[in-house]
Amino acid sequence: MGGRRNLLTALPYAFRMIDLRSDTVTKPTPEMRKAMAQAEVGDDVYGEDPTVTRLEELAAAKLEREAALFVPTGSMGNQIAVHVWTHPGSEVIIEARGHIFNFEMGAMAALSGALPRPITTNDGLLRPEQVEAAINPKVSYRTPTRLLCLENTHNLWSGLPMPKGLKDELVAVAHKHGLKVHLDGARIFNAAAALETTAAELARGCDSVMFCLSKGLAAPVGSMLVGDADFIAEARRVRKLFGGGMRQVGVLAAAGIVALTTMVDRLAEDHCRARRLAEGLAELPGVILDPQCIKTNIVVFRLTRPDLLGDREVAPNVRFVAAMKAQGVLCGAFGQDEVRMVTHYHICDSDIDHALRAARTVLAAA
Ligand code: TLP
């Protein structure tokens, strides 16, 4: 199984749920809890928390950037970047299923007055010519386009990693037209593991990068915003504006340091389990899923059968999720017919077997 697990993992399935809803459900490791208890702290709004400073230096070094900022959530990190790079009434280009557009409470409009320009793709990967076509001409009577947001891995596209070459082309076209590029790299280390490269390579050229400590890396809280020194200075001001100035937060940063130093190398394990899960699911009746598309830790599939599990008032994916829960497996429903399952630190090989047994039972009963 590898790694240290939550003691709960030892319980028989009759007494515990297998939680595949998200990698956000991961709990801090014993090493993190120890580091948290022993963390040296100070008031971080005064820049006096040595543990936060250490985490920020580590994050900047990992991404090969000048500076970094510890933020409470990935959403806040993304929205700080949007706020810094846009002004009210300006446009932000983003892939139509992007997290910043779909899952951040309309924050770009609410907090920054910015307007999303979503672009639909067939595979989750924006193309340079699509981006170029979506940039408004620089004339006094058109809305200025200010920012391109990328997402790597792409959550709703089954955790698809964006290759470095495509990212370089997208950055080049954005910069050619004077746009900034923000990378939502919530799972950038998953992308790096899948593409056998470094997070720094996948982020190079982007003007700002957010990555999460609290997902596959299992820290309890926190994300990092990374960029050049001027950007981070401005981001620090906006973090306070958004109510994200935290005080003796070294207790959380300590867990983040353990996350970054001990949890990155094991992510490939989660990817193998996700692939095995996908291969098993793809064989079941009513499931549309190409296991070859599962490159990281997120499995998204469609259910084709509107008749699934009776009650037509409720969408089939919602019924599937409820039936899986009754079998001891938690997963998530998205849109009309999609289901998402995410592997992470607390999911072991036998959990995958159990989840597949559960799905087989549920779909056989349908
Ligand atoms: N994603 C969550 C949900 O919000 C969907 C999840 O369970 O996957 N960027 C990306 C790509 C994300 O997947 C998420 C969280 C965030 C940003 C926001 O991070 P938090 O939850 O820390 O605000």
Short mmCIF file of all heavy atoms in Angstrom, two decimals, residues 21-24 73-76 78 99 103-104 151 153 155 184 186-187 210 212 214-215 223 334 340, ligand 1:
data_model
loop_
_atom_site.label_atom_id
_atom_site.label_comp_id
_atom_site.label_asym_id
_atom_site.label_seq_id
_atom_site.Cartn_x
_atom_site.Cartn_y
_atom_site.Cartn_z
N ARG A 21 -15.00 11.16 -3.06
CA ARG A 21 -15.60 12.42 -3.52
C ARG A 21 -14.55 13.39 -4.03
O ARG A 21 -14.75 14.10 -5.00
CB ARG A 21 -16.40 13.09 -2.40
CG ARG A 21 -17.73 12.42 -2.12
CD ARG A 21 -18.36 12.99 -0.89
NE ARG A 21 -17.49 12.87 0.27
CZ ARG A 21 -17.69 13.45 1.44
NH1 ARG A 21 -18.74 14.21 1.61
NH2 ARG A 21 -16.84 13.27 2.44
N SER A 22 -13.42 13.44 -3.32
CA SER A 22 -12.37 14.39 -3.72
C SER A 22 -11.10 14.08 -2.95
O SER A 22 -11.14 13.44 -1.89
CB SER A 22 -12.82 15.83 -3.38
OG SER A 22 -11.84 16.75 -3.81
N ASP A 23 -9.97 14.58 -3.47
CA ASP A 23 -8.73 14.50 -2.69
C ASP A 23 -8.68 15.60 -1.62
O ASP A 23 -7.76 15.65 -0.81
CB ASP A 23 -7.49 14.54 -3.60
CG ASP A 23 -7.58 15.63 -4.65
OD1 ASP A 23 -8.49 16.49 -4.58
OD2 ASP A 23 -6.73 15.65 -5.57
N THR A 24 -9.68 16.47 -1.62
CA THR A 24 -9.76 17.49 -0.55
C THR A 24 -10.11 16.84 0.79
O THR A 24 -9.96 17.49 1.83
CB THR A 24 -10.86 18.54 -0.85
OG1 THR A 24 -12.12 17.86 -0.98
CG2 THR A 24 -10.57 19.30 -2.13
N THR A 73 -7.16 29.25 0.79
CA THR A 73 -7.79 28.29 -0.13
C THR A 73 -7.30 28.52 -1.56
O THR A 73 -6.83 29.61 -1.91
CB THR A 73 -9.33 28.45 -0.17
OG1 THR A 73 -9.63 29.76 -0.70
CG2 THR A 73 -9.96 28.30 1.20
N GLY A 74 -7.50 27.49 -2.37
CA GLY A 74 -7.17 27.62 -3.78
C GLY A 74 -8.04 28.68 -4.44
O GLY A 74 -7.57 29.46 -5.28
N SER A 75 -9.29 28.71 -4.06
CA SER A 75 -10.20 29.71 -4.65
C SER A 75 -9.71 31.12 -4.35
O SER A 75 -9.70 31.98 -5.24
CB SER A 75 -11.62 29.54 -4.11
OG SER A 75 -12.10 28.26 -4.37
N MET A 76 -9.29 31.34 -3.11
CA MET A 76 -8.82 32.70 -2.80
C MET A 76 -7.55 33.02 -3.60
O MET A 76 -7.39 34.13 -4.12
CB MET A 76 -8.57 32.92 -1.31
CG MET A 76 -8.32 34.39 -1.02
SD MET A 76 -7.79 34.79 0.64
CE MET A 76 -9.31 34.73 1.52
N ASN A 78 -6.70 31.87 -6.56
CA ASN A 78 -7.10 32.18 -7.93
C ASN A 78 -7.70 33.58 -8.03
O ASN A 78 -7.39 34.36 -8.94
CB ASN A 78 -8.13 31.17 -8.43
CG ASN A 78 -7.51 29.83 -8.80
OD1 ASN A 78 -6.33 29.76 -9.13
ND2 ASN A 78 -8.30 28.78 -8.76
N HIS A 99 -12.40 25.50 -13.39
CA HIS A 99 -12.84 25.68 -12.00
C HIS A 99 -13.11 27.13 -11.67
O HIS A 99 -14.11 27.47 -11.03
CB HIS A 99 -11.76 25.12 -11.05
CG HIS A 99 -12.22 24.97 -9.64
ND1 HIS A 99 -12.25 26.03 -8.75
CD2 HIS A 99 -12.71 23.90 -8.96
CE1 HIS A 99 -12.73 25.60 -7.59
NE2 HIS A 99 -13.01 24.32 -7.69
N PHE A 103 -16.79 26.97 -10.38
CA PHE A 103 -16.90 26.54 -8.98
C PHE A 103 -16.43 27.59 -7.99
O PHE A 103 -16.13 27.25 -6.85
CB PHE A 103 -16.10 25.25 -8.76
CG PHE A 103 -16.70 24.05 -9.45
CD1 PHE A 103 -16.12 23.54 -10.60
CD2 PHE A 103 -17.84 23.44 -8.94
CE1 PHE A 103 -16.67 22.45 -11.24
CE2 PHE A 103 -18.39 22.35 -9.58
CZ PHE A 103 -17.81 21.85 -10.73
N GLU A 104 -16.27 28.82 -8.42
CA GLU A 104 -15.76 29.81 -7.48
C GLU A 104 -16.78 30.92 -7.23
O GLU A 104 -16.43 32.09 -7.02
CB GLU A 104 -14.36 30.30 -7.91
CG GLU A 104 -13.39 29.11 -7.87
CD GLU A 104 -11.93 29.41 -8.09
OE1 GLU A 104 -11.53 30.60 -8.11
OE2 GLU A 104 -11.16 28.43 -8.25
N GLU A 151 -5.70 25.70 -16.53
CA GLU A 151 -5.90 24.79 -15.38
C GLU A 151 -5.16 23.49 -15.64
O GLU A 151 -5.41 22.82 -16.63
CB GLU A 151 -7.41 24.53 -15.22
CG GLU A 151 -7.77 23.72 -13.98
CD GLU A 151 -9.28 23.65 -13.77
OE1 GLU A 151 -10.00 24.67 -13.98
OE2 GLU A 151 -9.76 22.56 -13.40
N THR A 153 -3.70 20.08 -13.30
CA THR A 153 -4.53 19.29 -14.19
C THR A 153 -5.93 19.91 -14.30
O THR A 153 -6.32 20.69 -13.44
CB THR A 153 -4.69 17.84 -13.66
OG1 THR A 153 -5.39 17.87 -12.40
CG2 THR A 153 -3.34 17.19 -13.42
N ASN A 155 -9.53 19.66 -13.74
CA ASN A 155 -10.38 18.87 -12.84
C ASN A 155 -11.53 18.18 -13.58
O ASN A 155 -11.60 16.94 -13.62
CB ASN A 155 -10.91 19.83 -11.76
CG ASN A 155 -11.70 19.13 -10.68
OD1 ASN A 155 -12.15 18.02 -10.84
ND2 ASN A 155 -11.86 19.81 -9.55
N ASP A 184 -4.13 27.97 -12.81
CA ASP A 184 -4.75 27.28 -11.68
C ASP A 184 -4.11 25.90 -11.65
O ASP A 184 -4.54 24.97 -12.33
CB ASP A 184 -6.27 27.20 -11.88
CG ASP A 184 -6.96 26.39 -10.78
OD1 ASP A 184 -6.25 25.73 -9.99
OD2 ASP A 184 -8.20 26.42 -10.72
N ALA A 186 -3.93 23.85 -9.08
CA ALA A 186 -4.37 23.19 -7.84
C ALA A 186 -3.67 21.83 -7.71
O ALA A 186 -3.20 21.46 -6.64
CB ALA A 186 -5.88 23.03 -7.83
N ARG A 187 -3.59 21.10 -8.84
CA ARG A 187 -2.97 19.76 -8.83
C ARG A 187 -1.76 19.72 -9.77
O ARG A 187 -1.56 18.75 -10.52
CB ARG A 187 -4.02 18.71 -9.23
CG ARG A 187 -5.18 18.63 -8.24
CD ARG A 187 -6.20 17.57 -8.60
NE ARG A 187 -7.29 17.52 -7.64
CZ ARG A 187 -8.37 18.32 -7.64
NH1 ARG A 187 -8.52 19.21 -8.61
NH2 ARG A 187 -9.29 18.21 -6.71
N MET A 210 -1.19 29.24 -8.94
CA MET A 210 -1.72 28.81 -7.65
C MET A 210 -1.60 27.30 -7.59
O MET A 210 -1.89 26.62 -8.57
CB MET A 210 -3.19 29.23 -7.53
CG MET A 210 -3.83 28.92 -6.18
SD MET A 210 -4.26 27.19 -5.89
CE MET A 210 -5.60 26.93 -7.04
N CYS A 212 -2.34 23.87 -4.70
CA CYS A 212 -2.96 23.52 -3.42
C CYS A 212 -2.10 22.54 -2.62
O CYS A 212 -1.57 21.58 -3.17
CB CYS A 212 -4.33 22.89 -3.65
SG CYS A 212 -5.52 24.05 -4.34
N SER A 214 -3.69 21.28 0.06
CA SER A 214 -4.76 20.60 0.80
C SER A 214 -5.49 19.55 -0.03
O SER A 214 -6.52 19.04 0.40
CB SER A 214 -5.77 21.64 1.27
OG SER A 214 -6.32 22.29 0.15
N LYS A 215 -4.97 19.20 -1.20
CA LYS A 215 -5.64 18.16 -2.00
C LYS A 215 -4.81 16.88 -1.92
O LYS A 215 -4.69 16.33 -0.83
CB LYS A 215 -5.85 18.68 -3.42
CG LYS A 215 -6.75 19.92 -3.40
CD LYS A 215 -7.34 20.31 -4.71
CE LYS A 215 -8.47 21.28 -4.52
NZ LYS A 215 -8.12 22.51 -3.80
N SER A 223 -3.15 26.90 0.33
CA SER A 223 -2.66 26.90 -1.05
C SER A 223 -1.57 27.96 -1.16
O SER A 223 -1.45 28.81 -0.28
CB SER A 223 -3.80 27.23 -2.01
OG SER A 223 -4.77 26.21 -1.99
N PHE A 334 -21.87 15.32 -11.17
CA PHE A 334 -21.67 16.61 -11.83
C PHE A 334 -22.60 16.69 -13.04
O PHE A 334 -22.80 15.67 -13.72
CB PHE A 334 -20.22 16.77 -12.32
CG PHE A 334 -19.25 17.03 -11.20
CD1 PHE A 334 -18.71 15.99 -10.47
CD2 PHE A 334 -18.89 18.33 -10.87
CE1 PHE A 334 -17.83 16.22 -9.43
CE2 PHE A 334 -18.00 18.58 -9.84
CZ PHE A 334 -17.47 17.52 -9.11
N ARG A 340 -18.00 11.67 -10.64
CA ARG A 340 -16.56 11.82 -10.44
C ARG A 340 -16.11 10.99 -9.24
O ARG A 340 -16.76 10.98 -8.20
CB ARG A 340 -16.21 13.29 -10.19
CG ARG A 340 -14.70 13.54 -10.16
CD ARG A 340 -14.38 15.00 -9.86
NE ARG A 340 -14.60 15.31 -8.46
CZ ARG A 340 -13.96 16.27 -7.80
NH1 ARG A 340 -13.08 17.03 -8.42
NH2 ARG A 340 -14.23 16.50 -6.53
N1 TLP B 1 -11.87 21.67 -6.32
C1 TLP B 1 -12.84 20.95 -5.52
C2 TLP B 1 -14.26 21.42 -5.82
O1 TLP B 1 -14.32 22.79 -5.72
C3 TLP B 1 -14.76 21.00 -7.17
C4 TLP B 1 -12.68 19.47 -5.78
O2 TLP B 1 -13.25 18.70 -4.99
O3 TLP B 1 -12.00 19.09 -6.74
N2 TLP B 1 -8.84 24.85 -8.66
C5 TLP B 1 -9.15 23.57 -8.92
C6 TLP B 1 -8.74 22.98 -10.22
C7 TLP B 1 -9.85 22.81 -7.97
O4 TLP B 1 -10.15 21.56 -8.27
C8 TLP B 1 -10.22 23.40 -6.76
C9 TLP B 1 -11.03 22.64 -5.73
C10 TLP B 1 -9.86 24.74 -6.52
C11 TLP B 1 -9.19 25.44 -7.51
C12 TLP B 1 -10.26 25.48 -5.26
O5 TLP B 1 -9.61 25.03 -4.14
P1 TLP B 1 -10.25 25.30 -2.69
O6 TLP B 1 -11.27 24.23 -2.48
O7 TLP B 1 -9.08 25.20 -1.77
O8 TLP B 1 -10.84 26.66 -2.71
#
